[in-house]
Every structure is written in C-alpha cells, then in structure tokens.
Amino acid sequence: MTQQSITPARFISFEGIDGAGKSTHIGFVAAFLRLRGVTLVTTREPGGTALGEKLRDLLLHEKMHLETEALLMFASRREHIAQVIAPALQRGEWVISDRFTDASFAYQGGGRGLDRGKMEALEQWVHPALQPDLTLLFDVPLEVARARLDATRSPDKFEQEQADFFSATREEYLRRAAQFPQRFRVIDSTQSIAAIEGQLAAILHAVLAVSAPGH
Ligand code: TYD
C-alpha cells in the first residue's frame, strides 16, 4: 500500500546543459521534500522505464537522423508518462524527473535546429495536458559546464558536441524560461553548492506553502 503525501502531488523537472550540475542537486531536493513528509518518485529521461533505458542507450551512443532522435526521445517519454509519471501523480506522489520535454526543445530544437513546430506537435501528441509544475533550470556559461564534465568516463554522443551546440541549447533553455516564467526557476549554477541549496530550499518552501491542504 502506498503512503499518501501530505500535500497534493507535484511534478518537478530538472534541466540544464551537460555539466550544469543538476544531478548534484536532485538528491538534495528529494531529501528536503521527504523530510517534510512528501512521498516522491525520482526518475530520468531519456529512460525511467525498462524500455526507456534501452532507448536511452541507443540515443546516447548511436548516430541517427535528427528526427529519429526527436521521435525516440518522445517515444521514451510516452512510455515514461504511462508507466511512471501519471501513475505516481494519480497515487498522490510527487515526481522528480531528471529532464523532461524542455530538454527536447533545448537539445533537438536549439542545439540541432529541429523545427520548433514539429516538437510542439510531438508534445501535443504525447502529453497534451501534462506539464511540470516546477522546472529548475541550472544555468552556467559553457566554459564552466565543460570544466565540470566527468573526465573519468568517456563522453556520450551529446557530451561530444561542440561549443556552438551547447550555446544554442542553453539559449533555447533560457528562451523557454522566459516564455514560461510561472513554472521555470533559473538557478545560477556558478554559485557554491551551499548557496544553490539555500536558493532551492526557498523555492521548495514556497511550493510547499501553496501545496499545503486548506490553502
Ligand atoms: P544527462 O541527463 O545529462 O545524464 P548524465 O548526467 O548521466 O550524462 O544525459 C542525457 C542526455 O540526453 C543529455 O545530453 C541531454 C540529452 N537529451 C536530449 O537531447 N533530449 C531530450 O529530450 C532529453 C530528455 C535528453
């Protein structure tokens, strides 16, 4: 039997270019919320399901046509929503996803130049009514992101991209943050981890305050 959250379910996505530091902060956010009685699921894209993880392996390591890449990202997402995200939200649990559709707009749209209209069509098809309630965008200049990439493992297909790819990806993320200011919070990820955690705590307190029963 699943325990009910004390607050209505919320869907939170984490975004940013490779090396922006989002992965470091997912654990902090999950622990912060659990300590306050929130039942939650942490997951990731591409991936999050058995099939999605197979697609992730292809997406991160195989060369493919740009539209194939976009379609597979959304195929993985379709499965992820059906198997993980929607059921968790229906059970009253929060969902924290390491990336969601903003990543497709930023990477396939911004970075690779796929027509935004095609992406919007896929978004309309795959999740016409679902959007994150909160998107945390970890933003850093390219040089900082590059320096942070884990030098101990070989870079995947995306991490091997050049500076102009990441600058277009970052620009698209920031454009979307400006387009959807209600759900986006942009975190200056050049700050210390402690400073970022302080900022995240303030954001989460505000989310919990509006989620509290009786508000
Ligand atoms: P990432 O989330 O950075 O994981 P890790 O920290 O393990 O490297 O890797 C996922 C990669 O997939 C990342 O480079 C961005 C890319 N991506 C897209 O291009 N489009 C998408 O829609 C999603 C979800 C991810």
Side-chain angles (χ1 to χ4, degrees):
M1 200 163 91
T2 10
Q3 190 198 334
Q4 284 289 305
S5 271
I6 53 164
T7 54
R10 288 278 182 272
F11 177 21
I12 303 176
S13 60
F14 278 63
E15 299 286 359
I17 59 172
D18 292 84
K22 69 185 166 46
S23 310
T24 310
H25 298 289
I26 289 182
F28 171 80
V29 167
F32 182 98
L33 291 171
R34 285 195 173 113
L35 210 61
R36 284 158 184 81
V38 171
T39 306
L40 58 88
V41 171
T42 59
T43 185
R44 69 170 179 181
E45 289 201 354
T49 64
L51 177 65
E53 291 297 324
K54 288 185 182 171
L55 293 173
R56 178 186 178 92
D57 194 40
L58 292 172
L59 282 160
L60 265 51
H61 300 109
E62 299 287 334
K63 276 207 158 62
M64 59 185 76
H65 189 282
L66 162 59
E67 292 189 354
T68 310
E69 185 176 283
L71 288 162
L72 288 182
M73 290 290 179
F74 274 94
S76 164
R77 185 162 298 131
R78 184 68 194 91
E79 197 66 15
H80 193 209
I81 293 168
Q83 304 281 346
V84 177
I85 299 177
L89 294 173
Q90 272 154 18
R91 289 194 303 269
E93 298 179 13
W94 291 39
V95 175
I96 294 183
S97 188
D98 187 346
R99 302 191 184 281
F100 192 62
T101 294
D102 296 305
S104 298
F105 279 93
Y107 280 77
Q108 282 66 52
R112 299 222 196 278
L114 181 61
D115 175 54
R116 195 180 293 154
K118 289 189 174 164
M119 214 86 64
E120 284 166 352
L122 288 171
E123 181 183 36
Q124 270 306 305
W125 183 8
V126 169
H127 56 99
L130 176 74
Q131 285 296 340
D133 300 292
L134 173 66
T135 298
L136 298 168
L137 173 57
F138 292 83
D139 182 56
V140 279
L142 301 192
E143 316 76 64
V144 179
R146 287 260 127 169
R148 282 183 187 165
L149 281 182
D150 186 353
T152 62
R153 63 172 173 85
S154 50
D156 65 38
K157 193 179 82 183
F158 293 100
E159 291 163 349
Q160 286 169 27
E161 287 292 340
Q162 300 304 308
D164 55 347
F165 173 90
F166 285 107
S167 104
T169 301
R170 181 187 184 202
E171 231 167 77
E172 179 64 11
Y173 267 135
L174 291 171
R175 195 195 64 74
R176 287 182 68 76
Q179 188 182 358
F180 304 109
Q182 279 181 325
R183 72 175 164 92
F184 267 92
R185 296 291 176 274
V186 182
I187 316 277
D188 171 4
S189 208
T190 60
Q191 301 175 92
S192 68
I193 289 181
I196 293 175
E197 287 180 352
Q199 199 176 339
L200 290 171
I203 292 168
L204 295 171
H205 274 304
V207 172
L208 286 167
V210 294
S211 303
H215 181 87

